[in-house]
């Protein structure tokens, strides 16, 4: 009688043991302009889509929300970000903005203010921000161009909870075959290079991969 009783007790314990749910996917939010919105190419060929593919293939539990809009500026990102944070609660926010501000000659103090407000909103959510550095051609004058570069350096060096990603077009912008006819937007063939330029900075901020059960 003892052995059957022990067996029944064990079966009861196993049957009532709580089942651990799989961890919910964390969220990466990409807030960018045409460079991240896959301008001129298929959306699935853009570097943001390739990022999600890489994360899934590597076993990282992340979903990627691409909130990039062609032509967007830091002021547009500033206006859109609060609703995006409230809707998606991201753990990581990639800000790829500033190029259109610079090309339009927006005052540097205004760009800096917009970035500061976005970073404050991200910090309040206790998320981590990654800012993708942008650069301007030299014909905008040394004073504005140097000030534009310094703007990104300030956030990368001084702000906690912020990672500054190196200029991710540096490996493609001087190769005509990797740029579209407008000379401003990378081709589909260039997108893996863009991802590879972002990946080292992003990879260091990812949560560890879940350990599979024995």
């Amino acid at each position: 009688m003892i052995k059957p009783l022990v067996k029944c007790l064990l079966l009861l314990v196993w049957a009532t043991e709580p089942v651990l749910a799989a961890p919910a996917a964390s969220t990466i939010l990409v807030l960018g302009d045409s460079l991240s919105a896959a301008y001129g190419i298929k959306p699935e060929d853009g570097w943001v889509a390739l990022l999600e593919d890489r994360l899934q293939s590597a076993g990282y539990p992340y979903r990627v929300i691409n909130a990039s809009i062609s032509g967007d500026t830091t002021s547009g990102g500033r206006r859109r970000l609060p609703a995006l944070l409230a809707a998606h609660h991201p753990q990581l926010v990639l800000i790829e903005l500033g190029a259109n501000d610079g090309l339009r000659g927006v005052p540097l103090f205004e760009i800096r203010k917009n970035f500061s407000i976005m970073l404050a909103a991200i910090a309040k959510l206790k998320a981590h921000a990654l800012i993708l550095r942008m650069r301007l051609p030299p014909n905008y004058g040394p004073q504005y161009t140097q000030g534009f570069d310094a703007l990104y350096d300030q956030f990368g060096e001084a702000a906690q909870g912020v990672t500054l990603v190196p200029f991710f077009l540096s490996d493609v912008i001087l190769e005509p075959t990797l740029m579209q006819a407008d000379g401003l937007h990378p081709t589909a063939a260039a997108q893996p290079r863009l991802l590879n330029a972002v990946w080292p900075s992003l990879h260091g901020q990812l949560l560890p991969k879940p350990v599979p059960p024995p």
Side-chain angles (χ1 to χ4, degrees), residues 39-108:
Y39 177 87
I41 61 176
K42 296 178 181 178
E44 60 269 25
D45 291 336
W47 75 269
V48 178
L50 297 180
L51 168 62
E52 186 162 36
D53 291 343
R54 179 176 294 187
L55 290 168
Q56 292 178 354
S57 298
Y60 287 103
Y62 282 91
R63 62 171 185 149
V64 179
I65 303 296
N66 191 356
S68 303
I69 297 177
S70 294
D72 205 5
T73 61
T74 57
S75 61
R78 169 187 167 183
R79 288 192 299 270
R80 296 193 295 120
L81 183 59
L84 291 168
L85 295 179
H88 302 293
H89 302 283
Q91 285 69 48
L92 297 173
V93 181
L94 279 69
I95 305 177
E96 182 274 299
L97 292 170
N100 289 316
D101 298 70
L103 294 175
R104 297 173 187 178
V106 174
L108 297 177

Side-chain angles (χ1 to χ4, degrees), residues 96-118:
E96 182 274 299
L97 292 170
N100 289 316
D101 298 70
L103 294 175
R104 297 173 187 178
V106 174
L108 297 177
F109 76 87
E110 185 175 330
I111 302 174
R112 185 179 297 108
K113 179 181 179 181
N114 292 332
F115 270 122
S116 297
I117 291 174
M118 287 190 285

Side-chain angles (χ1 to χ4, degrees), residues 33-209:
D33 52 33
S34 56
L35 296 174
S36 298
Y39 177 87
I41 61 176
K42 296 178 181 178
E44 60 269 25
D45 291 336
W47 75 269
V48 178
L50 297 180
L51 168 62
E52 186 162 36
D53 291 343
R54 179 176 294 187
L55 290 168
Q56 292 178 354
S57 298
Y60 287 103
Y62 282 91
R63 62 171 185 149
V64 179
I65 303 296
N66 191 356
S68 303
I69 297 177
S70 294
D72 205 5
T73 61
T74 57
S75 61
R78 169 187 167 183
R79 288 192 299 270
R80 296 193 295 120
L81 183 59
L84 291 168
L85 295 179
H88 302 293
H89 302 283
Q91 285 69 48
L92 297 173
V93 181
L94 279 69
I95 305 177
E96 182 274 299
L97 292 170
N100 289 316
D101 298 70
L103 294 175
R104 297 173 187 178
V106 174
L108 297 177
F109 76 87
E110 185 175 330
I111 302 174
R112 185 179 297 108
K113 179 181 179 181
N114 292 332
F115 270 122
S116 297
I117 291 174
M118 287 190 285
L119 292 177
I122 295 168
K124 186 176 181 180
L125 193 66
K126 296 183 179 180
H128 188 89
L130 295 91
I131 297 180
L132 278 65
R133 175 191 284 278
M134 293 291 112
R135 292 195 181 278
L136 293 178
N139 57 307
Y140 279 75
Q143 183 175 358
Y144 188 82
T145 302
Q146 291 170 12
F148 188 82
D149 284 343
L151 184 152
Y152 287 91
D153 290 329
Q154 291 170 8
F155 289 120
E157 294 174 0
Q160 293 184 347
V162 179
T163 298
L164 181 62
V165 181
F167 183 48
F168 77 148
L169 296 181
S170 60
D171 196 33
V172 304
I173 199 167
L174 296 180
E175 294 194 30
T177 58
L178 294 178
M179 299 297 292
Q180 297 182 38
D182 60 10
L184 298 174
H185 298 94
T187 63
Q191 302 300 311
R193 294 196 186 188
L194 301 186
L195 174 57
N196 288 338
V198 175
W199 181 255
S201 300
L202 174 63
H203 185 261
Q205 302 302 326
L206 296 176
L207 296 172
K209 299 179 187 179

